[in-house]
Amino acid sequence: MSDVLATAAAVTGAARDHETMRALTLVADRKIELLDVAAPPSPAPGEVQIAIKAVGLNHLDVWGWRGMAFAKRKLPLVVGVEASAEVVASGAGVNAMQAGDRVVAYGGLTCGTCKACREGRDNLCENIAGIMGFHIDGFARDRINMPARLVIPVPAAVSLRDAACAPIAFATVQHMLFDNAKLEPGETILVQAGGSGIGTAAIQMAKAIGCTVITTVGDDAKAEKAKALGADHVINYRTERFEGVVRKLTGKRGVDVAFEHVGPETFNGSLLCLKRGGRLVTCGSTSGQSTTINLFQLYLQQYRIFGSFGASIRNVRESLAKMAAGMTPVIDTEVPLAEFERGLARLESRQVFGKIVVTF
Ligand SMILES: [Zn+2]
């Protein structure tokens, strides 16, 4: 959509009849097309219309792009699970936001009324309609109407490019480390795949509270970058067995927390790195779906394992506050909207250090 049209919509508070806009649409497995679709109508009461400015790429996008047999969804599907935006118009009853406000969107279409929602555990909503960009249409389009309760203001000090990494990347890590694993200052943490979007965020967040960070990476160039980001010890998992190195680094004691998302390739190794009573938290499984674990080891060592998916709206606010205080996300690459698939291919190859952000 042109800036002229955006301005017109902001002034009138309404989209024009028959107006179209761009939407990046998954039409078949591994096939994304930039289509012209109808622009959204004026926002309904309780809604805001936002103009998307940046979309953060995540492994969830890669899974969706490759095709997921078990996911309930229909194609065509507008992609994009994580985004920053500017408010274009507000519906009736929305007083807290106005045109021009910079925001991020919470991509879980929660009910807002169930017990979990009322208690702020948004990612455990009992009636969730789906994850936008994965089960239902997402954010890689010019404009969208959203329930105002799912739109979160961005502090002035944070760029919209960086803010696009808050709703999933930063918030997921915030939820994993502090709500689930309850990471404490002074503890030692193993961060698997420290060069990934969430790995870089985990290193930053753990260092910020004074933890000792051990991380794994797949090549020496990434090792240098991870050290520059603050990691105390970096292990190239292709040249060294990380389990042995962690054991040595911790004086055979083990780490307090293991941050997992790689899956079968590293899961059991991560468990072996824990001290007795240690916590493993996982939010992903990029190397496959299943693994076996040793149950004797699980209970004798009193491990605690947390599955973690998504984050609460509070976690998104906490993430934006951290960014405002200077914890800026590591950006690997920025790609224009039309090159979304190039970004996905780069993410799939795991040849990244930090986040890939799609700009509009
Ligand atoms: Zn709910």
Side-chain angles (χ1 to χ4, degrees), residues 45-199:
E47 285 185 344
V48 288
Q49 185 167 119
I50 59 176
I52 305 296
K53 297 297 176 186
V55 166
L57 293 189
N58 289 278
H59 276 281
L60 198 53
D61 294 295
V62 175
W63 286 114
W65 178 53
R66 283 179 188 159
M68 279 192 106
F70 63 82
K72 272 190 196 164
R73 58 189 197 150
K74 272 191 208 143
L75 301 184
L77 181 91
V78 179
V79 297
V81 296
E82 179 179 47
S84 64
E86 258 177 37
V87 174
V88 172
S90 301
V94 179
N95 301 315
M97 269 171 282
Q98 54 191 15
D101 284 358
R102 301 153 73 248
V103 296
V104 294
Y106 184 82
L109 211 51
T110 58
C111 73
T113 56
C114 73
K115 186 167 186 290
C117 281
R118 291 197 315 271
E119 293 173 354
R121 294 176 296 118
D122 310 278
N123 51 334
L124 287 169
C125 171
E126 293 158 23
N127 311 306
I128 190 160
I131 293 170
M132 296 175 63
F134 187 72
H135 302 106
I136 52 180
D137 285 339
F139 295 109
R141 54 174 130 178
D142 285 313
R143 276 182 287 149
I144 182 173
N145 290 345
M146 290 288 296
R149 65 186 171 84
L150 301 180
V151 173
I152 303 142
V154 173
V158 181
S159 73
L160 285 179
R161 182 196 72 170
D162 290 352
C165 306
I168 292 192
F170 260 51
T172 294
V173 176
Q174 175 75 23
H175 187 58
M176 289 171 77
L177 294 185
F178 303 110
D179 294 346
N180 283 323
K182 301 218 177 344
L183 184 68
E184 296 279 348
E187 289 191 313
T188 299
I189 180 171
L190 169 66
V191 175
Q192 292 287 9
S196 61
I198 56 169

